Amino acid sequence: MSEQVRVSTLVGRTLAKLGVGHVFGVVGSGNFDVTSTLMESGVPFTAARHEGGAATMADAYTRMSGKVGVVTTHQGCGLTNAITGVGEAAKSRTPMIVLTADTQAAAIRSNFKIDQDALARSVGAVAERIHSPATAVADTVRAFRTAVNERRTVVLSLPLDVQSGAAADEVGAVVAPQPLKVRPDAAAVEQLGALIAAAERPVFVAGRGGRAAREEILELARHAGALVATSAVANGLFNGDSHNLGISGGFSSPLTAELISGADLIVGWGCALNMWTMRHGRLISAGAKVVQIDVEDAALGANRPISLGVLGDAALTASDVLSALQDVQTEPAGKYRTEANALAIKQGSRWRDVETPDLSTATSIDPRVLTRELDTMLPTERIVAVDSGNFMGYPSQYLAVPDEFGFCFTQAFQAIGLGLYTAIGAAVAQPNRLPVLGAGDGGFLMGISELETAARLKLPLVCIVYNDAAYGAEVHHFASQHSPEELSSVVFPDTDIAAIARGFGAHGVTVRTVADLDAVRPWIAAYEAGTQDRPLVIDAKIASDGGSWWLAEAFQGH
C-alpha cells in the first residue's frame, strides 16, 4: 500500500520530479509546507522581499535557463502582490508555474478570499488548481504539461483544506513530459521555398520562438542570400554571422532600419512582427512579402496582414525549406548577403558604432558616452537585463552580449520597475556570467527592496542607473504640450542612489563624468579575480537627450 502524505508534500514532490529548476517567493503560512517540500526535494529556493520581485525573478530565470521556474505565494494578497510579474510572464509566453495557496471553498468571509482563477485569466495566465487529494498528482502534472507544451504561465492554486488532506504518494510514477515539435505541412514548405527563391533582398527576423533554431535559420539564410535580425527578446541569437543586422525595430541603428526596409521578403521565425519589431509597419516596404512561422495558429497574422503563415517549429521549418531549395538550387544565392553589406553591417549595425554628439555637461554625462565606456570596461561574458523607460535603448544597443542567453528583456507588459528583479533571476540562471542591469532612477527605486536580495545572495551584479531625476519618457513625451510647472508630477528632487545602495550592502558610485568611471575599476578587478561578492550600483547623473531615438517610435502606439 502506498504511503499516505499531505497533499502539499505531494505537490512539491511532483513538481520536483517533473524537473522545475528554481523557486522564488515570499513564504507565508499558506505556502510554507509546499515550499519546504520543494527545498527538501533538491529544488533551490530564493527568498525575495516582495512577491512582485519573486515573480519576475522566476520569469527571467525560466527565459535564461531553459528550465521551468516557479514563484510561490501566499493566498490572496500574496498573489495580488505578484500579479504584475505574472502578467509580464503570461504576455511573454514564459513556461512558468505560479504556485499559490488559496482559501478554502467554504471560507467565503476570509480576508484572503479573492477569485484567484479569474485574476490569473485576466492577465493572460492559465488558471489551474489542485481539486482534491485524489487528483493532486494529475492536477500538478496537467499544470506542468500546459506550461511546457503550450508555453504558458500557469497559476496553480492550492486550497488550504485540500493541502492539508492526505493522499497516496504516487510521485514515483510521474514522467516529465517532452515538448512535441510541430513539423510544417509540405505544401506550406513548398510555398515558403518559392517565396524565398523569388526574393532578391530577403530578411529573416527571429523572435522568442526562434531562439532554439539559430543554426537551422542561419544555414537557410546563407543558402537563400538573406540578412538576419532579431526582435529585442532574441538579441544576440545571430552573433558571429557576417550579415547579422542586430535588433529590428525601435532600437535599430539607421543602417539596420535601412536594410530591413529595403527587403522584398521578410520572414518572421517565431516572431510576432508587432509594432515594436516593425516600427508600426514602417520597416516593411510597400511591395514586400511577409511570412510568419509559429507553433500557434492564432499568432499567424495577428499583428499585420501576411502573405503566408506557416504552422510549425522554426528549426524544423528552416531545415525542411532548405532541403526543398537545395533540390532545385545547389549553390547558395548571393542576393542580400554581399561583401559590401557585410562591411556596412560591421561598421554600422550597432548604435555604439554610430557617431553622435556628446551631450555631457560639467555635472552630467551623456548616456551614450556612459554606456559606450562601460561596454568597453565590463567583462564581455555578461548577461544584460533592461528595465523600461526613456533610457532603455542605451543598454539594449550599446552593451554587447555574447548570445541569446546574454540578454533578458521583460517588456511585454511595459511595466517599469521589473529590471532589478529580472537581473537577479537572470543571474541565478547564468551564474558564470556577469549580470548587468540598465535601469532608470524611477524604475530602480520602485524595485529597490530587492537590492537587499542581491546583496544577501552575494551577487556580483552591476546596476547602471540612468538617473535624470524624473520619469524621463513622460517628461520628453509631454514637454512640448505642457509647461515645466505642469510636469512636476513626473519630475523629482535628485536622489543619492549610490548612498542608498551602500545602505543595502552594495558598493555605490556616483558618475557625472567619464573620469568618475575610474571608481568602477577596482570593483571590476575584484570580479575578474573571483573575489567580488557585492553588487555595484552606478548612480549615473545623465544629461538630457531630449527624448531618446526609440521614444518617438514607442509613443506612436500610445
Side-chain angles (χ1 to χ4, degrees):
M1 188 172 183
S2 299
E3 174 192 5
Q4 294 285 305
V5 297
R6 283 174 59 93
V7 168
S8 55
T9 300
L10 199 57
V11 171
R13 288 180 181 175
T14 301
L15 286 172
K17 180 72 181 297
L18 288 168
V20 297
H22 202 103
V23 184
F24 302 83
V26 176
V27 174
S29 58
N31 62 330
F32 182 86
D33 285 344
V34 71
T35 304
S36 296
T37 298
L38 283 161
M39 295 169 66
E40 291 165 4
S41 301
V43 182
F45 172 72
T46 294
R49 286 300 187 174
H50 191 277
E51 290 90 348
T56 300
M57 289 176 200
D59 181 7
Y61 170 85
T62 302
R63 299 186 198 204
M64 295 293 103
S65 69
K67 299 178 181 179
V68 175
V70 177
V71 55
T72 179
T73 74
H74 188 66
Q75 63 269 25
C77 54
L79 180 60
T80 59
N81 275 350
I83 205 64
T84 296
V86 174
E88 166 61 36
K91 291 174 184 294
S92 294
R93 300 301 291 266
T94 301
M96 182 176 98
I97 301 291
V98 182
L99 188 60
T100 181
D102 197 4
T103 53
Q104 306 93 321
I108 58 175
R109 301 291 184 186
S110 169
N111 289 347
F112 296 118
K113 182 71 174 180
I114 62 170
D115 189 341
Q116 295 193 171
D117 289 356
L119 178 63
R121 287 191 289 267
S122 75
V123 295
V126 174
E128 289 282 5
R129 59 180 44 246
I130 305 300
H131 292 283
S132 71
T135 63
V137 171
D139 293 338
T140 306
V141 172
R142 183 178 64 253
F144 187 87
R145 286 180 62 87
T146 299
V148 172
N149 291 342
E150 299 181 24
R151 300 172 299 118
R152 300 296 296 274
T153 296
V154 179
V155 176
L156 180 59
S157 292
L158 285 71
L160 296 179
D161 51 346
V162 178
Q163 277 196 53
S164 61
D169 187 353
E170 303 170 353
V171 176
V174 169
V175 177
Q178 296 299 313
L180 301 176
K181 293 186 176 182
V182 180
R183 181 148 239 128
D185 178 76
V189 169
E190 183 179 349
Q191 287 179 273
L192 178 52
L195 286 172
I196 291 174
E200 290 299 322
R201 298 177 305 282
V203 172
F204 293 172
V205 183
R208 184 179 293 107
R211 290 176 77 224
R214 169 190 155 88
E215 295 307 320
E216 292 84 355
I217 295 172
L218 277 181
E219 193 174 1
L220 176 60
R222 289 163 183 156
H223 188 83
L227 305 183
V228 292
T230 69
S231 65
V233 292
N235 182 25
L237 178 64
F238 297 127
N239 282 5
D241 183 74
S242 58
H243 291 80
N244 172 30
L245 294 167
I247 299 174
S248 172
F251 294 157
S252 293
S253 71
L255 176 77
T256 293
E258 177 187 347
L259 289 171
I260 295 174
S261 62
D264 58 359
L265 173 67
I266 293 177
V267 183
W269 300 88
C271 180
L273 299 178
N274 58 26
M275 65 180 184
W276 311 111
T277 307
M278 290 290 113
R279 291 192 178 181
H280 302 271
R282 287 191 302 279
L283 288 184
I284 303 172
S285 66
K289 305 286 187 182
V290 179
V291 177
Q292 263 187 283
I293 296 100
D294 206 285
V295 294
E296 185 180 2
D297 184 70
L300 301 175
N303 289 292
R304 64 190 62 263
I306 57 176
S307 308
L308 174 66
V310 179
L311 187 66
D313 172 77
L316 291 178
T317 301
S319 294
D320 287 357
V321 173
L322 178 61
S323 295
L325 286 177
Q326 287 175 330
D327 287 342
V328 296
Q329 174 196 320
T330 56
E331 294 298 319
K335 297 186 178 180
Y336 229 9
R337 293 179 75 88
T338 64
E339 290 186 12
N341 277 346
L343 179 60
I345 288 168
K346 182 178 180 180
Q347 295 174 338
S349 63
R350 290 184 60 202
W351 267 104
R352 71 151 291 162
D353 298 322
V354 177
E355 187 174 346
T356 56
D358 187 350
L359 304 176
S360 302
T361 70
T363 57
S364 62
I365 188 168
D366 186 317
R368 297 166 296 192
V369 173
L370 167 74
T371 320
R372 188 182 290 117
E373 291 292 326
L374 286 170
D375 182 49
T376 301
M377 293 172 63
L378 296 173
T380 57
E381 192 65 19
R382 63 182 70 140
I383 184 164
V384 175
V386 183
D387 208 325
S388 188
N390 180 65
F391 70 90
M392 62 192 292
Y394 302 119
S396 298
Q397 267 285 26
Y398 283 70
L399 295 178
V401 295
D403 53 34
E404 71 275 22
F405 290 101
F407 189 74
C408 197
F409 196 67
T410 47
Q411 298 290 335
F413 212 175
Q414 292 182 254
I416 74 168
L418 305 186
L420 182 55
Y421 318 151
T422 302
I424 294 171
V428 173
Q430 296 284 342
N432 296 320
R433 293 184 172 184
L434 173 69
V436 181
L437 166 66
D441 53 301
F444 191 73
L445 289 170
M446 274 189 182
I448 200 168
S449 63
E450 300 302 348
L451 187 57
E452 186 280 331
T453 301
R456 175 170 23 97
L457 296 176
K458 297 183 177 181
L459 289 180
L461 163 66
V462 177
C463 302
I464 309 167
V465 182
Y466 295 79
N467 188 351
D468 61 359
Y471 291 137
E474 283 67 29
V475 167
H476 297 303
H477 182 52
F478 294 112
S480 63
Q481 308 164 37
H482 299 276
S483 67
E485 292 75 21
E486 291 174 308
L487 292 174
S488 62
S489 61
V490 290
V491 177
F492 303 92
D494 186 35
T495 303
D496 190 348
I497 291 176
I500 298 172
R502 289 190 286 271
F504 277 101
H507 290 281
V509 174
T510 300
V511 171
R512 297 180 182 275
T513 66
V514 170
D516 292 338
L517 286 170
D518 286 342
V520 174
R521 298 187 188 281
W523 189 96
I524 295 173
Y527 173 80
E528 292 176 331
T531 59
Q532 188 54 261
D533 62 357
R534 293 169 68 187
L536 168 67
V537 175
I538 301 172
D539 182 8
K541 311 298 186 180
I542 61 169
S544 173
D545 58 12
S548 58
W549 82 90
W550 75 273
L551 192 67
E553 298 286 342
F555 273 116
Q556 291 184 39
H558 286 59

